[in-house]
């Protein structure tokens, strides 16, 4: 099983654990692109910065995110589980770790009540049910 680990601050961890917050937001930057995207084998890495710039731009050159990814030879990585942690706990501290079904990643605006800035594009990591 492929695991996506996402550390959270207390307030976001608690409402995620309660099942209220069903998605997480991450900046469209080099770090998160490398964690969430992969390039086709024949794609050269020199397109990376152009890809990031285009994904983060609401007025991107391409009609939608998937057309943009396809143009650059990129795609979302596949994950099975979103492991949400309160900070960086030890693996035995189960009170500070939640495992959720991974329901995919999108690029779009997020809910300001859940920490997203209005009109800003993010990687939106979607959560499913808690995995016991």
């Amino acid at each position: 099983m492929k695991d996506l680990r996402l550390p959270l601050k207390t307030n976001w961890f608690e409402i995620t654990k309660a099942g209220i917050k069903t998605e997480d937001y991450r900046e469209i930057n080099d770090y998160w692109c490398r964690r969430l995207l992969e390039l086709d084998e024949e794609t050269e890495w020199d397109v990376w910065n152009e890809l990031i710039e285009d994904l983060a731009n609401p007025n991107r050159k391409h009609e939608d995110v998937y057309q943009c990814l396809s143009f650059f030879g990129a795609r979302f990585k596949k994950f099975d589980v979103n492991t949400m942690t309160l900070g960086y706990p030890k693996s035995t501290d189960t009170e500070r770790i939640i495992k959720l079904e991974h329901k995919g990643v999108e690029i779009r605006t997020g809910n300001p009540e859940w920490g997203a800035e209005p009109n800003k594009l993010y990687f939106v990591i979607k959560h499913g049910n808690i995995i016991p």
Side-chain angles (χ1 to χ4, degrees), residues 3-16:
D3 183 22
L4 176 59
R5 296 186 68 85
L6 300 165
L8 302 173
K9 293 182 178 179
T10 304
N11 56 326
W12 303 131
F13 181 83
E14 293 302 327
I15 65 172
T16 300

Side-chain angles (χ1 to χ4, degrees), residues 46-107:
D46 58 355
V47 302
W48 193 251
N49 288 334
E50 192 179 345
L51 166 65
I52 295 168
E53 192 176 303
D54 208 32
L55 286 175
N57 183 352
N59 301 313
R60 71 178 62 87
K61 299 175 210 170
H62 304 92
E63 197 170 306
D64 62 32
V65 169
Y66 297 99
Q67 194 178 70
C68 177
L69 292 173
S70 176
F71 177 81
F72 287 103
R75 65 189 162 280
F76 291 114
K77 291 180 181 178
K78 303 264 189 247
F79 295 97
D80 301 303
V81 176
N82 294 340
T83 299
M84 316 305 287
T85 62
L86 176 54
Y88 297 90
K90 294 181 180 178
S91 60
T92 56
D93 190 353
T94 56
E95 289 300 309
R96 295 177 53 185
I97 301 170
I98 313 165
K99 291 193 178 284
L100 301 165
E101 296 171 327
H102 179 79
K103 292 295 187 180
V105 179
E106 298 176 344
I107 294 177

Side-chain angles (χ1 to χ4, degrees), residues 23 25 106-111 120-124 126:
E23 57 191 32
Y25 311 120
E106 298 176 344
I107 294 177
R108 60 175 169 79
T109 58
N111 182 344
K120 182 175 179 178
L121 295 176
Y122 292 94
F123 283 114
V124 178
K126 301 184 296 181

